[in-house]
Amino acid sequence: MTELSARRSPATVAECFRLLSAVLRSAVRDRLIGTNPCEGVKVPARRRKDTDGHVLSRADLVARLLPAVPDRYRALVALAGGTGLRWGECTGLRWESLDLTRKTVEVVRVAVEVAGTVTSKPYPKSRAGRRTVPVPDFAVELLTAHREVFPAGPRGEVFTNSSSGPLRRTLFRARVWRPSLVRAGLLGNVSRLGHFKWRAAWLDLDGVEWTAEFTTEREAVAHVAKMAPGGLRFHDLRHSYATELVSRGVPVNDVQGVMGHEKPSTTLNLYTHRSDGRDQRIREAFADDPLTPNDD
């Protein structure tokens, strides 16, 4: 376990441990071994990183990020940001599960990627994951346009790559997602210096600014996307969605339902974030309280 921890993330180690322990428990029940050697073993806890929990406001999603995403993938980003669906739930979505008239999406399957191969799984990660989620108007509009321009996949998939094949997460991140962040002004900076002259700028992990010059904007954007550390993750669209709902006063049990969580504590612990104006609202809640208690 220690050796694996040196090469893999705590979340990956925990999942490997869970699967191994389940296999060994079965072996104990079948009397193949006397005891489960996993019992009593502690796995490393997942530590929060500075890149965890980035929040993108709904205004920045619509006005900044979506216009910067290539046409083929704009509806995908809109769906994720407007419904909180996970990557696999978005890429595994088929048109039969979308009702653009009623403005709803049914999450009934997911796309699973292992070693570069994408397959479809008929059920989400948990029973609560099978759910119906309302789709906001801006996402409905982009999905409607997407259906008219881009053909469905061989099994009716809503989103495919340029070869009508399944989307692969790593390639999407490098070729679509991070360049879109740069163009949206959410990662580094690209500015025009003159004819055939573009300046790329980004900060490293120590806060030191680096710059480079290129003859095309595309080259400058690609360089920043590759070199700049951190930045918004695709999964942060899900985090932002839940945060937006909670900050607008949507009850936690309703947020839990659309997020596909089995427990409300998961919703509160993972996907909520300090919202703008929190301190002022708390002060206002006690603004009319008397300084001394009534004698009544």
Side-chain angles (χ1 to χ4, degrees):
M1 194 63 65
T2 301
E3 181 181 348
L4 186 62
S5 298
R7 296 183 288 110
R8 293 291 185 267
S9 69
T12 300
V13 173
E15 180 63 13
C16 291
F17 178 82
R18 184 187 69 80
L19 294 173
L20 175 62
S21 183
V23 171
L24 293 175
R25 281 198 304 271
S26 297
V28 172
R29 287 195 302 268
D30 294 340
R31 299 183 180 181
L32 298 176
I33 57 177
T35 60
N36 182 353
C38 287
E39 291 183 359
V41 176
K42 294 184 178 180
V43 297
R46 183 185 185 276
R47 297 183 296 273
R48 287 187 64 84
K49 303 177 183 178
D50 291 338
T51 54
D52 286 350
H54 286 184
V55 174
L56 182 70
S57 70
R58 180 62 58 89
D60 282 342
L61 169 67
V62 174
R64 297 179 64 184
L65 181 56
L66 290 181
V69 178
D71 292 347
R72 186 178 196 95
Y73 307 106
R74 191 169 297 145
L76 167 63
V77 176
L79 180 69
T83 63
L85 266 63
R86 303 174 177 92
W87 167 262
E89 293 170 343
C90 287
T91 55
L93 182 65
R94 299 180 185 179
W95 281 114
E96 63 191 32
S97 299
L98 260 175
D99 190 330
L100 297 182
T101 301
R102 294 184 177 180
K103 301 178 183 179
T104 60
V105 56
E106 283 190 272
V107 184
V108 294
R109 62 175 55 83
V110 295
V112 179
E113 181 177 347
V114 178
T117 299
V118 180
T119 57
S120 180
K121 182 180 177 182
Y123 300 104
K125 61 185 298 185
S126 67
R127 184 177 300 176
R130 191 181 182 103
R131 63 201 188 278
T132 300
V133 183
V135 182
D137 290 341
F138 73 88
V140 170
E141 181 180 343
L142 289 175
L143 285 163
T144 301
H146 181 90
R147 183 169 57 182
E148 294 174 354
V149 176
F150 301 104
R155 295 180 178 84
E157 293 91 347
V158 178
F159 305 111
T160 61
N161 59 27
S162 56
S163 302
S164 297
L167 291 175
R168 293 173 56 188
R169 188 166 193 161
T170 302
L171 293 180
F172 179 87
R173 180 179 182 272
R175 298 176 182 178
V176 179
W177 178 251
R178 287 181 64 80
S180 296
L181 295 180
V182 178
R183 289 190 294 269
L186 298 171
L187 181 67
N189 178 262
V190 171
S191 56
R192 187 168 189 167
L193 300 178
H195 198 52
F196 295 119
K197 195 173 185 181
W198 295 83
R199 178 179 181 270
W202 67 97
L203 299 178
D204 64 18
L205 292 174
D206 296 321
V208 177
E209 183 180 55
W210 293 78
T211 63
E213 294 184 5
F214 299 88
T215 57
T216 67
E217 181 182 21
R218 182 176 181 178
E219 290 176 314
V221 167
H223 192 76
V224 173
K226 179 180 179 181
M227 301 301 297
L232 193 77
R233 305 165 303 173
F234 187 90
H235 190 76
D236 288 326
L237 295 175
R238 176 171 168 83
H239 178 88
S240 301
Y241 172 77
T243 299
E244 186 89 15
L245 294 183
V246 172
S247 66
R248 293 191 181 196
V250 177
V252 172
N253 59 323
D254 289 340
V255 180
Q256 173 194 351
V258 295
M259 295 295 287
H261 292 153
E262 294 188 323
K263 301 177 181 178
S265 59
T266 303
T267 306
L268 290 171
N269 292 336
L270 293 181
Y271 294 109
T272 55
H273 189 274
R274 173 176 171 169
S275 57
D276 293 340
R278 182 199 68 176
D279 292 352
Q280 183 61 29
R281 287 196 298 274
I282 293 175
R283 293 189 190 99
E284 291 173 354
F286 295 99
D288 297 331
D289 286 4
L291 293 177
T292 57
N294 293 328
D295 293 333
D296 297 343

